[in-house]
Amino acid sequence: MNNWRHSALAQGLIRCHDCGALWPLQQEHTHCPRCQAMLHARTPDSLKRTWALLLTATLLLLPANLLPIMRVTTLGQGEPSTIFGGVLQLAHHGLWGIAFVVLAASILIPVGKIIALCALLLAIQRGWTTNMQQKMVMFRVVHWIGRWSMLDIFVVGILVALVQFGNLAYIDGQAGAIAFAGVVIFTMLAAGTLDTRLIWDRHLQENPRGS
């Protein structure tokens, strides 16, 4: 297993993020002689940017859950529904599977991602060096699950296309869907902005012989 002494940074080297070339650490904040990209030992302002994106996503959770996300009209009657109200309406119409997918993708997963990213950011800033493998697994799960975060928006779109083939009922999207899309986008950006090497820096400094 690699240890702190085997890392490029510990050897006084810096790796170009674009072409992969290694250069002396003294060249940080200068341009790579090979590809002219800016050299950084760690992604600049990674924590600040991640916190800003995560805070934006958290604030958008309020309108995403309070504003109507869709409207189900049956026999000419219906009213806009929030995410949870839409889940209840889908369940009421017997669409239990779709209701569960919307509930998980709209409420459980976004909140879980925000909590997980907050935990990782706090661990970095406070120097918590325990359970390092679990932290990386949690980040990978958050990053992987991001590709499925728009699932309920697609479900609403599919429902609109399918249900409106009939004359008895139809479904259309509402303003809450826009806010929720913002939550998804900003959490995905937050996960992509976080430099995961920061999670290991303090641990490797305190445990130079361990992984």
Side-chain angles (χ1 to χ4, degrees):
M1 293 184 177
N2 294 330
N3 56 41
W4 171 250
R5 292 175 298 176
H6 293 167
S7 69
L9 190 60
Q11 298 296 323
L13 299 173
I14 186 172
R15 178 179 178 273
C16 176
H17 293 280
D18 286 359
C19 68
L22 293 174
W23 304 103
L25 186 59
Q26 291 78 5
Q27 291 189 221
E28 185 176 13
H29 305 307
T30 64
H31 292 282
C32 172
R34 175 190 287 178
C35 68
Q36 299 303 310
M38 185 64 69
L39 296 174
H40 299 287
R42 297 292 181 263
T43 304
D45 300 321
S46 174
L47 294 181
K48 293 180 181 179
R49 293 178 181 179
T50 305
W51 272 120
L53 293 167
L54 200 57
L55 179 60
T56 303
T58 303
L59 294 176
L60 285 174
L61 272 178
L62 291 176
N65 285 277
L66 296 178
L67 292 178
I69 192 172
M70 67 179 180
R71 179 174 58 190
V72 180
T73 303
T74 305
L75 298 175
Q77 296 182 348
E79 58 183 14
S81 301
T82 61
I83 291 177
F84 191 71
V87 170
L88 294 179
Q89 286 198 32
L90 289 171
H92 178 72
H93 286 79
L95 302 174
W96 292 98
I98 297 177
F100 175 78
V101 169
V102 173
L103 176 64
S106 301
I107 299 177
L108 301 181
I109 290 177
V111 172
K113 287 176 61 178
I114 290 174
I115 293 175
L117 287 172
C118 283
L120 290 174
L121 290 172
L122 290 174
I124 294 172
Q125 291 187 320
R126 296 182 177 273
W128 297 337
T129 58
T130 57
N131 302 319
M132 300 301 297
Q133 296 291 343
Q134 289 85 340
K135 289 186 178 72
M136 290 307 302
V137 170
M138 181 168 60
F139 175 80
R140 292 189 188 105
V141 170
V142 169
H143 198 270
W144 176 84
I145 210 169
R147 70 189 68 180
W148 303 103
S149 297
M150 292 291 287
L151 187 59
D152 67 322
I153 299 296
F154 291 126
V155 168
V156 172
I158 292 172
L159 285 174
V160 171
L162 292 179
V163 176
Q164 292 189 162
F165 275 115
N167 296 320
L168 298 180
Y170 68 91
I171 300 174
D172 58 350
Q174 298 289 306
I178 299 176
F180 177 76
V183 174
V184 172
I185 292 171
F186 282 110
T187 51
M188 291 177 64
L189 290 174
T193 303
L194 179 61
D195 191 338
T196 54
R197 294 172 298 180
L198 296 172
I199 300 175
W200 289 93
D201 283 349
R202 178 70 66 85
H203 174 77
L204 294 174
Q205 290 175 8
E206 294 179 356
N207 303 273
R209 296 183 180 179
S211 61

